[in-house]
Structures are given as structure tokens and as C-alpha cells.
């Protein structure tokens, strides 16, 4: 089997070395990106120039670098010249956004911890302020630095580093959790069946009833899904019948639900058996 050669992401201001037992932020991003998007990460045209982004203010694509200017760190935006189509540029930036958002969310929620390796002193300190992952997103994910700021002192730059063992454990736990998440294809099929069932029997199942029914069925199958997935995939399916059940359809609504439940369970059984 031919080994796939990838262009690894390189953050401009990231140090070449890290303390024993740690990995650089860019290394974590490369592992995560290669795992989640193996056919794209490091293989897209122009990836060797990443990370770049489109600056609406400057109306051009830029990279980022952190520099100390006087006592304060400043984020620089040198332009990057890319011999790529618009679609190729957008493919790179969209893919990077997906991966960095996944890692940032884990760091923000405390699922994964990171440390700051101070440039001047070499001291390693825990990054324990969750909001930093949003306020310093560009310095961290585009330059590779975090700014240690004290109003009374000179800014200090530090590398963002992660313990290798902790990162490996997070990846394993995430893989187990993802195995339990219902696939989008399954949810889309369920949503279509809900819509078809309503049309066939001249009724529309309310949103709350649909959510409760699908969640209960998937829980029995040891599968989970988020509210975002429900609204974006299941409930998004068009044409769910003429409206809330009235008259005869209303009297038969419990029977409709029971029949629909059996059909959805059959979908889940077939999907999870594959």
C-alpha cells in the first residue's frame, strides 16, 4: 500500500521543540485533521500555505504572526499570495475551520487541557481560563502563540502545548462517543419517513413528539444525537403532512404514533446492522 504524503500544518510562530511528554498545538491539529478528514487534510491544493484566511477588512488572504512591539504583543497580517482558484482557497479555510473548532470546543469545555510554554522563562503553566480559546483564537490557531498579559507588566508570548498522553486519551474517548452518535444518513432517512407517514395518514406529528419519539428509539439502540442534528436533519425534511391532527386523524393519533415507531425502529435496526 502506498503511503500517503501529507503537507502538515505549520503555525508560523510555533517553536520547534517542546518539553518531554508534550506536543505542539499544530501537531494535535494534524493528528485530529488526518483522523477526521483523511482524504482532505494535508492533501488539498494550496495546503502547504495554511493556515491562511480571508480578511474582509483588507479584502485579501492573509496569514498571522505574533510580534512584541514595545511592551505589547501585536498580531500581524502579512498577505499571502496564492496561485489557487477561489474554490480551492475556500476548501482549505473551511476544512481548517472544522478541525480547529473541534479542538477549540474540547479545550473550552474542559474535555482536554492545554498548557503555555513561556518563551522567556521556559516555565510551563496550565491554561485554565476557558474564554481564552475564543478571545485569542487567531493568535493561537493562526500564529501558534498565546499572549500572557498583565496590565502592569510587559506581554509575554508562549507556545500552546498539550500532554501527549492526555491528547491520546481524549482521542480514544471521542472515538467511542462518536461510534454512538447516529449517522446523518440514518437521521435523514428517519426524517423522510416521518414526513411520508404524515402525508400517507393525513396528519402532522408535532415537533416535540417527533423529538421525544426519535430520542427514545435511538436511546434503546445505544445511539445519541444533538438537538442541532434533529432540527437540521430530521425536522428539516420537507412536507410533513397537512397540519396538526384534527377530527378522525386526531382520534387515531396514538395508533399513528405506534405505527410510525415500528417503522423508525426498523430503520434503526437496519442502519446499525451495517
Amino acid at each position: 500500500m502506498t503511503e500517503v504524503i501529507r503537507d502538515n500544518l505549520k503555525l508560523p510562530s510555533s517553536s520547534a521543540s517542546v518539553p518531554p511528554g508534550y506536543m505542539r498545538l499544530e501537531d494535535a491539529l494534524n493528528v485530529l485533521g488526518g483522523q477526521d478528514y483523511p482524504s482532505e487534510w494535508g492533501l488539498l491544493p494550496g495546503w502547504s500555505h495554511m493556515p491562511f484566511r480571508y480578511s474582509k477588512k483588507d479584502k485579501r488572504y492573509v496569514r498571522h504572526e505574533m510580534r512584541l512591539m514595545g511592551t505589547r504583543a501585536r498580531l500581524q497580517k502579512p498577505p499571502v499570495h496564492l496561485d489557487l482558484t477561489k474554490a480551492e482557497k475556500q476548501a482549505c479555510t473551511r476544512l481548517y475551520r472544522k478541525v480547529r473548532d473541534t479542538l477549540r470546543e474540547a479545550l473550552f469545555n474542559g474535555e482536554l487541557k492545554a498548557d503555555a510554554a513561556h518563551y522567556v522563562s521556559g516555565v510551563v503553566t496550565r491554561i485554565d481560563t476557558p474564554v481564552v480559546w475564543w478571545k485569542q483564537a487567531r493568535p493561537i490557531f493562526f500564529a501558534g502563540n498565546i499572549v500572557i498579559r498583565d496590565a502592569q507588566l510587559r506581554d509575554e508570548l508562549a507556545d500552546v502545548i498539550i500532554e501527549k498522553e492526555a491528547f491520546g486519551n481524549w482521542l480514544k474517548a471521542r472515538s467511542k462517543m462518536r461510534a454512538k452518535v447516529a449517522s446523518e444518513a440514518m437521521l435523514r432517512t428517519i426524517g423522510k419517513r416521518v414526513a411520508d407517514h404524515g402525508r400517507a395518514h393525513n396528519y402532522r406529528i408535532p415537533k416535540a413528539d417527533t423529538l421525544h419519539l426519535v430520542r427514545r428509539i435511538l436511546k434503546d439502540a445505544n445511539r445519541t444525537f444533538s438537538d442541532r442534528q434533529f432540527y437540521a436533519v430530521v425536522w428539516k425534511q420537507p412536507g410533513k403532512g397537512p397540519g396538526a391532527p384534527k377530527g378522525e386523524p386526531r382520534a387515531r393519533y396514538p395508533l399513528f404514533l405506534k405505527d410510525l415507531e415500528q417503522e423508525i425502529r426498523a430503520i434503526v435496526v437496519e442502519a446499525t446492522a451495517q
Side-chain angles (χ1 to χ4, degrees):
M1 182 180 292
T2 304
E3 183 181 358
V4 177
I5 306 299
R6 301 180 187 275
D7 285 323
N8 280 331
L9 180 82
K10 294 180 176 62
L11 298 176
S13 303
S14 182
S15 295
S17 61
V18 294
Y22 284 89
M23 63 195 306
R24 296 171 298 178
L25 179 68
E26 64 188 46
D27 298 326
L29 288 163
N30 283 317
V31 172
L32 181 60
Q35 175 179 288
D36 283 6
Y37 304 95
S39 64
E40 299 173 85
W41 186 267
L43 302 174
L44 294 177
W47 190 260
S48 60
H49 296 285
M50 287 295 289
F52 56 78
R53 71 176 188 87
Y54 184 74
S55 170
K56 293 181 179 179
K57 181 179 180 181
D58 300 305
K59 293 182 172 55
R60 63 187 181 187
Y61 281 88
V62 300
R63 286 170 62 88
H64 286 292
E65 297 174 359
M66 288 300 301
R67 293 180 183 174
L68 281 172
M69 303 179 70
T71 60
R72 292 290 172 250
R74 297 286 183 264
L75 188 63
Q76 306 295 305
K77 296 190 296 182
V80 56
H81 302 288
L82 304 166
D83 186 19
L84 301 169
T85 66
K86 181 179 180 180
E88 288 171 336
K89 295 171 187 175
Q90 290 178 338
C92 288
T93 55
R94 275 196 295 262
L95 178 61
Y96 186 46
R97 184 184 305 115
K98 291 177 184 177
V99 175
R100 75 172 186 266
D101 282 356
T102 297
L103 187 58
R104 178 170 63 175
E105 184 176 348
L107 292 163
F108 178 79
N109 292 335
E111 299 169 20
L112 182 65
K113 299 293 185 181
D115 296 287
H118 298 231
Y119 282 178
V120 177
S121 64
V123 172
V124 174
T125 58
R126 175 56 47 90
I127 302 172
D128 54 8
T129 307
V131 73
V132 75
W133 302 110
W134 298 97
K135 286 191 172 182
Q136 292 200 41
R138 285 181 183 167
I140 292 172
F141 290 100
F142 282 89
N145 302 136
I146 187 172
V147 180
I148 311 300
R149 177 160 292 172
D150 186 314
Q152 306 301 319
L153 301 174
R154 175 191 177 95
D155 282 351
E156 185 178 353
L157 296 179
D159 274 330
V160 177
I161 57 176
I162 300 172
E163 291 181 359
K164 290 181 179 179
E165 184 177 359
F167 183 72
N169 291 337
W170 173 72
L171 282 181
K172 290 177 183 177
R174 180 172 176 265
S175 295
K176 291 180 180 178
M177 181 61 67
R178 292 181 77 193
K180 296 181 179 180
V181 175
S183 70
E184 185 171 313
M186 181 201 297
L187 293 174
R188 189 180 297 109
T189 302
I190 291 172
K192 186 176 184 303
R193 186 61 53 86
V194 170
D196 291 345
H197 198 274
R199 283 194 298 269
H201 297 281
N202 196 36
Y203 82 102
R204 177 172 180 171
I205 178 172
K207 186 187 300 182
D209 287 359
T210 307
L211 177 59
H212 176 74
L213 178 64
V214 175
R215 180 157 284 157
R216 177 163 55 83
I217 293 171
L218 289 180
K219 182 179 180 181
D220 291 343
N222 198 29
R223 292 291 187 274
T224 63
F225 63 93
S226 66
D227 287 351
R228 184 201 63 78
Q229 286 178 299
F230 173 78
Y231 294 118
V233 182
V234 178
W235 195 251
K236 191 177 182 180
Q237 298 304 311
K240 302 178 182 67
K246 297 178 181 179
E248 182 181 353
R250 179 172 185 141
R252 299 183 61 192
Y253 182 62
L255 295 176
F256 293 159
L257 279 188
K258 187 174 182 179
D259 183 61
L260 178 60
E261 178 178 348
Q262 291 176 344
E263 294 189 14
I264 293 176
R265 287 190 182 279
I267 292 171
V268 173
V269 169
E270 181 179 355
T272 53
Q274 295 177 352

